[in-house]
Amino acid sequence: MAKRRRRSGKKNTVTKLLISFLAIIALFLGVYFGHHYYRIWNQQRLEAQLKRQDQEAKEEFIKQVAPEAQAMQNSYHVFASITIAQAILESQWGNSQLASQYHNLFGIKGDDPETSRVLATKEYINGQWIVIKGRFRVYDSWSDSIKDHTQLMLNGTDTNNDNYQNVIQAKNYRQAAYALQESGYATDPNYAKKLITVIKAHKLYNYDK
């Protein structure tokens, strides 16, 4: 009987050690996976927060430029959706150096050194994007930039006063977008499609009403 008790005691000891070992492993795994999933959850939370902040910033930009764009549409029939979409594309939502420092939302060029600045810009030439230097107008505000953009549509270029008449005479924003591209406003071969995509994504057509 005594021998059986000692064997039972040894078995109990081994069992306790095994349980303790498994408990330590379970604790380690719990901490490891808990930390792992916490990092994933925290990363997802941060990404969602950044996405929300980005969306809010974009909505704020639209709110800032929309009133002047609508005023220009009411007076001169340049679709507000087109003006806003161009401002978005040309200025990178108002974040480009040209837009943030010099209030030029549309990449409009200038000649007078006193009212313009030389900056790097991308142009699509001979089937590829290249970086060149260009002289761009400086404005006191985004509203002034929008007004000058409308005047460009009305008065055209130095070589062709009617260059953008098809933009003004367009029946809808789609026609206006393709008229801009055909008039050579930008060298990007997909300029019209990008404008239309931006207008649809942010429902800018509502500002044409």
Side-chain angles (χ1 to χ4, degrees):
M1 294 294 293
K3 289 183 179 180
R4 288 180 181 176
R5 288 194 186 94
R6 284 196 294 272
R7 287 176 182 173
S8 178
K10 290 181 180 179
K11 288 182 179 179
N12 289 337
T13 300
V14 172
T15 301
K16 289 179 180 178
L17 290 174
L18 181 60
I19 292 173
S20 298
F21 177 71
L22 292 176
I24 292 171
I25 293 177
L27 179 62
F28 172 78
L29 292 176
V31 171
Y32 174 80
F33 285 108
H35 181 65
H36 175 70
Y37 285 115
Y38 172 77
R39 285 193 302 170
I40 294 176
W41 172 81
N42 194 46
Q43 181 64 29
Q44 291 175 339
R45 182 179 63 84
L46 290 175
E47 289 176 355
Q49 182 179 359
L50 290 173
K51 185 176 181 180
R52 183 171 60 255
Q53 291 174 346
D54 179 64
Q55 183 61 32
E56 290 173 353
K58 289 178 177 178
E59 291 175 357
E60 180 61 27
F61 177 78
I62 293 173
K63 287 180 181 179
Q64 289 185 55
V65 300
E68 193 65 55
Q70 287 181 303
M72 293 298 99
Q73 174 180 301
N74 292 337
S75 297
Y76 304 106
H77 199 262
V78 179
F79 282 103
S81 60
I82 286 292
T83 300
I84 299 170
Q86 279 194 278
I88 289 171
L89 286 181
E90 298 287 346
S91 75
Q92 300 169 27
W93 294 95
N95 294 314
S96 69
Q97 181 183 5
L98 187 60
S100 60
Q101 293 186 20
Y102 304 113
H103 301 105
N104 188 332
L105 291 171
F106 304 95
I108 295 178
K109 301 288 179 64
D111 298 319
D112 187 350
E114 294 185 2
T115 59
S116 62
R117 295 291 184 276
V118 175
L119 298 171
T121 183
K122 285 186 177 181
E123 298 284 354
Y124 191 82
I125 299 175
N126 297 326
Q128 62 181 347
W129 287 100
I130 63 173
V131 177
I132 64 172
K133 293 287 186 178
R135 183 172 288 279
F136 298 91
R137 295 182 189 177
V138 174
Y139 300 99
D140 292 328
S141 66
W142 284 353
S143 291
D144 287 344
S145 178
I146 294 171
K147 290 174 182 175
D148 198 37
H149 170 267
T150 301
Q151 290 303 310
L152 176 64
M153 297 297 106
L154 292 172
N155 302 322
T157 63
D158 293 337
T159 57
N160 183 4
N161 293 337
D162 296 325
N163 195 60
Y164 298 111
Q165 285 304 302
N166 288 337
V167 178
I168 296 173
Q169 296 170 5
K171 302 298 182 183
N172 53 61
Y173 69 83
R174 291 181 180 84
Q175 289 183 11
Y178 281 104
L180 272 171
Q181 183 169 323
E182 291 166 2
S183 299
Y185 188 93
T187 58
D188 187 346
N190 296 312
Y191 193 67
K193 291 181 179 179
K194 289 179 179 179
L195 287 175
I196 292 170
T197 297
V198 169
I199 290 171
K200 288 182 176 179
H202 300 280
K203 299 180 180 180
L204 301 181
Y205 45 73
N206 288 327
Y207 293 96
D208 295 337
K209 299 177 182 178

